[in-house]
Amino acid sequence: MKLHPADVWHTAATSPRLAVALAGRDPDDLGEQGRMERAHYLYLIALGLPAARAEQAIGSMNAGKWRGQDPNFALACKVVAKASQAYAQPKRPRITPDAIERFLTELRKGGMVKDACALAGVTPAAMYQRRKRDGDFARVWNQAARDGAAAEKQ
């Protein structure tokens, strides 16, 4: 098998391990692995992923820690995020009125919170956060749960 230098460089553009090796460093070194994770995180931010999604994609929730420990990385995150704003996912409401109604309807039927959230297309964490912030929503939720418990008894 014959390797062409152009193919090697092209592959290095998509393979952090190869790029590190071509730079004369050991890609299995822990420091280099951390550097590759940081680079991959910045790459995903540059493509417009929100920070939390980029962390999920790389399988590491360390970006906040990295920013706190390394001012240069923190600055790079700010610059890359600002430069990629035009490509970022559009902000949408986390919990729409329709989702709330589907959630409450399921609770009124006696459904569990987890199942009601799944049917509404929202996470339980998002609903509990909304409940904590919004007293009116908490009261409606409690009433729907009471209605559901009464319906289950009948």
Side-chain angles (χ1 to χ4, degrees):
M1 177 179 189
K2 187 173 180 183
L3 288 176
H4 296 282
D7 293 335
V8 173
W9 292 113
H10 176 73
T11 302
T14 59
S15 171
R17 290 182 55 78
L18 179 58
V20 167
L22 289 171
R25 299 187 308 268
D26 180 3
D28 292 324
D29 177 76
L30 286 178
E32 293 300 332
Q33 289 176 3
R35 189 173 291 112
M36 287 184 287
E37 276 187 8
R38 286 173 171 86
H40 195 187
Y41 174 81
L42 288 170
Y43 166 76
L44 294 171
I45 297 293
L47 291 176
L49 255 62
R53 295 278 188 236
E55 284 184 312
Q56 287 177 332
I58 66 170
S60 173
M61 304 307 260
N62 290 326
K65 182 175 77 171
W66 295 335
R67 284 189 297 273
Q69 293 173 343
D70 184 349
N72 291 324
F73 180 72
L75 179 61
C77 289
K78 285 181 186 178
V79 170
V80 170
K82 184 172 175 124
S84 67
Q85 281 178 342
Y87 310 109
Q89 291 178 332
K91 299 246 183 212
R92 58 183 169 88
R94 289 181 61 165
I95 304 173
T96 65
D98 287 344
I100 290 171
E101 191 52 43
R102 284 192 303 273
F103 171 78
L104 293 171
T105 298
E106 187 61 22
L107 283 184
R108 288 183 191 108
K109 293 178 185 175
M112 303 291 293
V113 170
K114 181 177 85 169
D115 298 331
C117 288
L119 286 172
V122 296
T123 65
M127 291 304 264
Y128 280 110
Q129 287 172 3
R130 173 73 179 263
R131 178 186 174 133
K132 186 176 178 180
R133 285 191 325 265
D134 184 343
D136 290 337
F137 178 64
R139 283 187 285 284
V140 173
W141 176 331
N142 290 339
Q143 184 60 52
R146 283 192 296 272
D147 294 347
E152 289 278 310
K153 289 181 182 178
Q154 294 178 354

